[in-house]
Amino acid sequence: MRAPAAAWRCLTTCILAGAVLAGCSSSEPREQPAPVPGVSGDAEIREIWSRRVGEGMDGQYLFLSPGIHEETVYAATQNGYITAYNARNGRRDWWEKLDERLLGGVGVDADHLYVVTRNGELIALSHEGKEQWRTSLPNEALVPPQSNGRYVVVQTIDGELLAFSQSNGNRRWQYDSNMPVLSFRGNATPWIDGSRVIAGFDNGRVVALDVNSGAVQWEQRLAQPAGRTELERLVDVDSSPHVVDDTVYVSAYQGSVTALELRSGEERWSRELSSLEAPAVTEEQVVAAGADGALVGFERASRSELWRHRELAWRQPTAPVALGNHAVVGDFEGYLYAVDATDGTIDSRVLVDDEGLRSDPIRFRDRVIVFGNGGWLASYHVREGDR
């Protein structure tokens, strides 16, 4: 079965941005996707294990990302199933069925799992799937809740970021961004540590907040709205902040791929690229996926562009994930690719889920775990080639 060729993100007003102008119910982009690219064979994507988790997204335009804690991966389906698997070998440990429809995937910390329902409730579960507490949200959330073990933060579709007590769900603080009239259906998953929360918003800004009080520590604009129409003025930061050492890597639609200093938010470098996905960071390269499907590699040290190609043009690539010398990226037809970060060569590919890949791959040790639209949860390793 051919995967639906849904456009990058469905706009909240049922209009798609850029060159894709179709209703939310449309299954075909206006731009013709590039054919499935050939591979060089210099590396190999090897499947470690794969399991079917119900119906997955069940035909809904969702991003149900799995969550990982220690050696367990937790996956949720839109109709309320939550399942725990051993991340090393794929053995199923348990499953539970909630009487809820779910959005946004699974957040996890040492004590709880966190999910958000279609009715706008945040639910905390034990690691065995038993409900611990629940609390109401002002709106839906399309990304997984994130926790540092003391606070749980949730970003809603109307541009609010809320923090709750991890132990009982009491609300601690709330931050409201200035939402534009028009935005993509999708949000950046916040990043949290013991000191701060970093989040991207649909107004083109990245904001760092004090984790205890919600006070703004710093703010950076990645894209400036321009044009006469609201469609032309789209500047969403839907890419999740990717923190490596003391640097935050993030990107914006009709904006740039930018590296920011973690503590101050000071810009270290920026390169123009319209993107809805977080870049991958290897030892020496930064690999980013453009909103039009172009893949671009930058050198971390010199910040210069190393390579650029359009072999995945309009194939709606996921956020790339670094594995060794490769960036691993999925597409709308369900293929997973190993891209050599040094020169952009597509070394290998594998079909994961013929209903497509929309949720970003997640890193587990020396492999990635991906969750397909049709419910296939799988783990892969990249065997490096001889080049």
Side-chain angles (χ1 to χ4, degrees):
M1 173 178 166
R2 188 175 184 269
W8 264 104
R9 297 278 197 277
C10 194
L11 293 179
T12 55
T13 59
C14 290
I15 299 175
L16 298 184
V20 183
L21 299 172
C24 284
S25 60
S26 173
S27 63
E28 294 295 332
R30 177 165 294 186
E31 293 290 339
Q32 181 65 32
V36 178
V39 299
S40 72
D42 289 320
E44 179 185 3
I45 301 179
R46 290 183 173 179
E47 180 183 295
I48 307 300
W49 55 263
S50 64
R51 300 288 181 268
R52 185 70 179 271
V53 187
E55 298 301 319
M57 320 293 175
D58 197 21
Q60 305 296 308
Y61 202 82
L62 301 175
F63 302 84
L64 292 172
S65 303
I68 292 181
H69 179 67
E70 295 182 346
E71 295 195 347
T72 303
V73 56
Y74 303 91
T77 63
Q78 71 87 26
N79 61 350
Y81 284 96
I82 300 177
T83 311
Y85 296 91
N86 184 296
R88 289 182 293 104
N89 56 32
R91 184 194 67 236
R92 190 176 74 183
D93 292 334
W94 56 262
W95 65 269
E96 288 285 341
K97 175 67 168 66
L98 303 181
D99 293 327
E100 309 279 356
R101 293 190 177 275
L102 302 178
L103 296 170
V106 183
V108 59
D109 61 23
D111 298 312
H112 297 127
L113 313 178
Y114 305 96
V115 293
V116 174
T117 73
R118 285 184 177 270
N119 294 326
E121 289 188 303
L122 169 64
I123 302 177
L125 308 164
S126 70
H127 280 206
E128 291 72 43
K130 307 303 181 184
E131 183 174 327
Q132 305 298 292
W133 52 259
R134 69 170 63 198
T135 189
S136 296
L137 300 171
N139 213 322
E140 295 177 344
L142 296 176
V143 293
Q146 299 296 299
S147 173
N148 66 356
R150 290 169 48 229
Y151 300 103
V152 185
V153 294
V154 181
Q155 187 163 341
T156 62
I157 60 173
D158 56 355
E160 295 185 346
L161 187 68
L162 304 102
F164 301 88
S165 168
Q166 183 258 19
S167 60
N168 56 25
N170 289 340
R171 187 182 298 190
R172 304 303 298 269
W173 53 261
Q174 178 174 329
Y175 171 84
D176 299 321
S177 68
N178 182 20
M179 280 282 289
V181 174
L182 204 62
S183 66
F184 287 101
R185 178 176 170 82
N187 296 109
T189 302
W191 180 88
I192 184 172
D193 68 2
S195 302
R196 62 187 62 81
V197 180
I198 301 176
F201 294 97
D202 293 341
N203 56 14
R205 297 179 182 272
V206 178
V207 181
L209 307 169
D210 182 272
V211 75
N212 297 302
S213 66
V216 175
Q217 293 183 343
W218 54 259
E219 183 175 334
Q220 276 281 5
R221 178 181 288 279
L222 268 62
Q224 180 71 44
R228 295 183 178 181
T229 69
E230 294 299 332
L231 196 63
E232 292 173 323
R233 294 172 63 83
L234 284 168
V235 290
D236 293 26
V237 179
D238 278 359
S239 71
S240 304
H242 183 33
V243 179
V244 179
D245 300 325
D246 61 348
T247 303
V248 182
Y249 297 87
V250 66
S251 58
Y253 183 74
Q254 299 191 132
S256 60
V257 176
T258 304
L260 305 172
E261 206 280 328
L262 174 62
R263 292 171 179 80
S264 68
E266 180 181 352
E267 182 181 301
R268 290 185 164 169
W269 60 265
S270 180
R271 293 293 181 269
E272 185 176 337
L273 181 71
S274 178
S275 177
L276 289 162
E277 306 293 352
V281 182
T282 71
E283 289 266 343
E284 298 181 355
Q285 294 87 25
V286 175
V287 178
D292 61 357
L295 291 184
V296 186
F298 303 95
E299 188 174 35
R300 284 181 68 181
S302 69
R303 309 164 190 178
S304 60
E305 183 174 315
L306 295 172
W307 52 266
R308 179 185 295 247
H309 68 66
R310 295 181 54 80
E311 293 187 59
L312 297 181
W314 303 110
R315 295 190 64 82
Q316 303 155 36
T318 64
V321 173
L323 273 188
N325 295 323
H326 284 82
V328 178
V329 60
D331 75 5
F332 80 104
E333 286 191 301
Y335 288 98
L336 191 70
Y337 304 90
V339 180
D340 191 311
T342 62
D343 60 12
T345 302
I346 298 178
D347 280 345
S348 183
R349 72 168 185 263
V350 64
L351 181 62
V352 179
D353 189 322
D354 62 9
E355 292 191 32
L357 297 176
R358 190 179 304 121
S359 295
D360 297 332
I362 54 177
R363 177 83 176 262
F364 172 70
R365 296 185 178 176
D366 62 346
R367 62 189 72 172
V368 293
I369 294 177
V370 292
F371 188 37
N373 301 344
W376 284 103
L377 181 72
S379 175
Y380 294 91
H381 171 71
V382 176
R383 184 188 64 80
E384 300 286 351
D386 297 328
R387 283 196 295 168

